[in-house]
Amino acid sequence: MKFSEFKLHSQIMEGIDAIGYEKPTPVQEQAIPLIMQGHDLIGCAQTGTGKTAAYVLPMLHGIVSDKHRNDTIKALIIAPTRELAVQIDQQLEGFSYYTNLSSVAVYGGGSGTDFEMEKKALKTGAEVIVATPGRLISHLNMGYVKFNELKYLVLDEADRMLDMGFLPDIQKIMSHLPKERQTLLFSATMPREIRGLAKSILHKPEEVNLAVSKPAENVMQVAYLVYDNQKIALIKSLLAGKDLPSVLIFSATKSSVKVIEGELKRLRLNVKAIHSDLEQDERKIVLRQFKNREIQILVATDIVSRGIDIDNISLVINYNVPHDAEDYVHRVGRTARAEKTGVAITFINDKETRDFKKIEELIQSEVRKLPLPEGFGVGPKFEVTRRDNDRGPIRRKGMNDRRRPSGK
Ligand code: AMP
């Protein structure tokens, strides 16, 4: 899908081009049309999914396209922290660069001068306000903030706001807003309290679900602790005697992808690799063959993994632990699509335990480590060790230390 398909205002499209986004992320694809149609929306999406642009773009489109526009507050975005408010404001500035729209970020902690500047912007009609709850209330209490013409309200990271105890503040802010408005609520999780809040402030909301940082529940995730030189044999052992029509193997670099392809070919397995050295047409052919099940095993790098839109992959093997935890979720998400079940196996070598721990933290669950099959000997241990480059070189006690002056 392309951004042009949303039919956003030309000034907003210029902003998107200047920022360099090429195509919408899934949450944008789903949310932007619904918001443009005027629906209230519950978006279950985390930071990193592109959720900010998912609500900012259609909102800016609505404001800029309004022929009766005047200098009043049209949109209020409430975020739990200063950091998030700043990030949202930066994206707003980027997207509205080619419009004459004004926005202001209102967040606590700044100096008195900041407060005065915020006050001025609020009084003279900044059209979009990004605010943390407490600071906005301080301004509201002074009586000069007028929300009569507000059209859009966004609650971003609503679950975090409730965790931080902002519910009374949010309710107070609500009492200052017109009932007739479009309300958008984004939250990484949907506990009962959020559902309750949504029910009280949204009107017949549509829902978009994109819990990217957790693989589908129906993916069985397991891992093996294994040294690099044991990996090919392990793949062979995992595939032996099993009728697995589609196996996708991920590896970090194109050179390793080529090596794995070669090794598996030598085992007479039906395998092909896909990486950035292949021409676009060649990649398409390989993908089509994999999709049609003419190829059983596809070896790929992460770069191409996000574009692989194939259902029914029965097994995903991570030949190495992806360095970026989000990549793990993307890789694993290639299996068990469309409610089917799938298996994802990750090979963890002796240097990757720390990266794998990070993944487990992100997905908030511990992945079961299976013992290596019989005859493999022992693999590495799952110990999180300090890496040399994390805190400088590990120094050993030795001659150099003894010669060093004591510093007293
Ligand atoms: P968010 O989830 O809104 O915090 O966005 C996460 C990051 O993704 C931000 O750095 C955005 O600038 C970036 N981003 C959002 N949408 C897109 C897109 N369509 N293409 C590329 N990057 C994007």
Side-chain angles (χ1 to χ4, degrees):
M1 179 167 201
K2 292 195 186 111
F3 274 107
S4 56
E5 292 173 50
F6 295 128
K7 306 265 180 288
L8 290 161
H9 193 283
S10 58
Q11 291 171 348
I12 313 286
M13 284 305 294
E14 277 183 77
I16 297 173
D17 280 348
I19 284 177
Y21 291 178
E22 283 173 9
K23 61 187 183 75
T25 64
V27 69
Q28 291 161 5
E29 244 181 79
Q30 293 175 50
I32 292 174
L34 292 170
I35 300 174
M36 285 175 81
Q37 285 159 21
H39 293 286
D40 278 8
L41 185 90
I42 300 177
C44 189
Q46 296 178 327
T47 296
T49 54
K51 66 174 167 61
T52 314
Y55 62 77
V56 164
L57 291 172
M59 204 181 73
L60 292 181
H61 164 85
I63 297 172
V64 176
S65 308
D66 183 1
K67 295 204 174 58
H68 309 289
R69 225 173 117 194
N70 52 12
D71 283 342
T72 52
I73 301 169
K74 310 287 183 328
L76 170 63
I77 302 169
I78 307 179
T81 61
R82 259 194 283 172
E83 291 71 26
L84 185 61
V86 171
Q87 273 176 43
I88 297 167
D89 193 46
Q90 282 167 349
Q91 292 210 33
L92 264 170
E93 271 184 27
F95 292 128
S96 59
Y97 189 79
Y98 294 96
T99 70
N100 55 357
L101 186 134
S102 55
S103 65
V104 62
V106 172
Y107 46 81
S111 62
T113 336
D114 290 340
F115 195 90
E116 281 308 309
M117 275 164 58
E118 291 169 7
K119 177 176 170 183
K120 195 165 165 225
L122 289 166
K123 279 172 85 170
T124 54
E127 285 168 287
V128 184
I129 296 172
V130 189
T132 50
R135 182 70 154 210
L136 181 58
I137 292 208
S138 308
H139 285 289
L140 277 173
N141 287 342
M142 317 271 281
Y144 45 72
V145 187
K146 298 278 177 280
F147 282 127
N148 336 3
E149 305 223 13
L150 188 98
K151 301 256 179 325
Y152 303 95
L153 168 70
V154 182
L155 297 182
D156 202 346
E157 298 202 352
D159 48 353
R160 230 166 128 197
M161 291 207 270
L162 294 205
D163 283 350
M164 291 166 78
F166 283 138
L167 186 58
D169 286 356
I170 291 171
Q171 282 163 338
K172 182 157 188 198
I173 295 168
M174 274 324 136
S175 69
H176 287 259
L177 307 182
K179 296 251 170 326
E180 189 108 345
R181 54 161 204 260
Q182 188 174 0
T183 308
L184 315 168
L185 179 148
F186 284 83
S187 188
T189 56
M190 280 295 153
R192 212 157 22 99
E193 298 78 22
I194 296 287
R195 293 260 164 220
L197 175 68
K199 213 166 166 196
S200 67
I201 63 167
L202 277 80
H203 178 65
K204 293 191 184 161
E206 291 284 337
E207 210 166 313
V208 164
N209 266 301
L210 214 100
V212 151
S213 289
K214 276 197 191 151
E217 306 251 309
N218 39 358
V219 185
M220 189 177 96
Q221 301 170 67
V222 292
Y224 286 97
L225 288 146
V226 58
Y227 290 108
D228 285 343
N229 62 6
Q230 298 171 307
K231 287 181 175 178
I232 292 289
L234 183 56
I235 291 188
K236 192 178 165 194
S237 146
L238 291 171
L239 299 182
K242 293 195 192 75
D243 183 21
L244 295 167
S246 289
V247 179
L248 183 52
I249 302 178
F250 284 112
S251 192
T253 61
K254 65 181 172 211
S255 55
S256 65
V257 161
K258 288 178 194 172
V259 171
I260 300 167
E261 182 193 23
E263 295 272 3
L264 295 183
K265 269 198 176 135
R266 273 205 294 179
L267 298 172
R268 297 183 182 282
L269 290 167
N270 177 7
V271 56
K272 278 224 172 123
I274 188 163
H275 45 74
S276 54
D277 274 358
L278 296 185
E279 295 293 331
Q280 191 63 29
D281 281 349
E282 292 174 296
R283 286 198 222 175
K284 271 195 194 149
I285 293 170
V286 175
L287 278 178
R288 199 178 55 231
Q289 289 174 323
F290 185 57
K291 203 167 182 159
N292 295 341
R293 307 213 155 154
E294 292 159 42
I295 300 171
Q296 183 204 4
I297 305 167
L298 183 68
V299 194
T301 52
D302 280 313
I303 309 296
V304 294
S305 79
R306 291 180 190 228
I308 297 178
D309 188 17
I310 298 175
D311 290 337
N312 289 344
I313 293 172
S314 29
L315 171 64
V316 166
I317 297 178
N318 291 316
Y319 195 81
N320 68 300
V321 174
H323 187 64
D324 178 354
E326 288 281 349
D327 279 338
Y328 174 85
V329 180
H330 277 277
R331 288 180 179 194
V332 168
R334 300 303 97 190
T335 184
R337 304 191 82 180
E339 306 302 315
K340 303 216 167 46
T341 53
V343 179
I345 301 176
T346 302
F347 293 176
I348 310 169
N349 76 13
D350 45 326
K351 298 177 200 76
E352 294 171 329
T353 47
R354 176 183 285 253
D355 281 340
F356 200 72
K357 263 265 167 247
K358 277 196 219 147
I359 289 169
E360 292 185 322
E361 277 162 26
L362 178 79
I363 63 174
Q364 291 168 8
S365 71
E366 210 172 295
V367 175
R368 197 148 56 96
K369 322 287 178 309
L370 300 180
L372 288 170
E374 247 184 77
F376 268 76
V378 281
K381 287 213 162 42
F382 193 64
E383 283 172 345
V384 177
T385 50
R386 203 179 87 178
R387 270 206 217 122
D388 286 12
N389 58 4
D390 277 349
R391 278 178 259 167
I394 295 171
R395 285 202 296 121
R396 288 183 189 83
K397 275 205 164 155
M399 277 171 49
N400 290 344
D401 287 64
R402 264 180 255 134
R403 270 195 227 125
R404 198 161 282 143
S406 69
K408 280 181 195 156

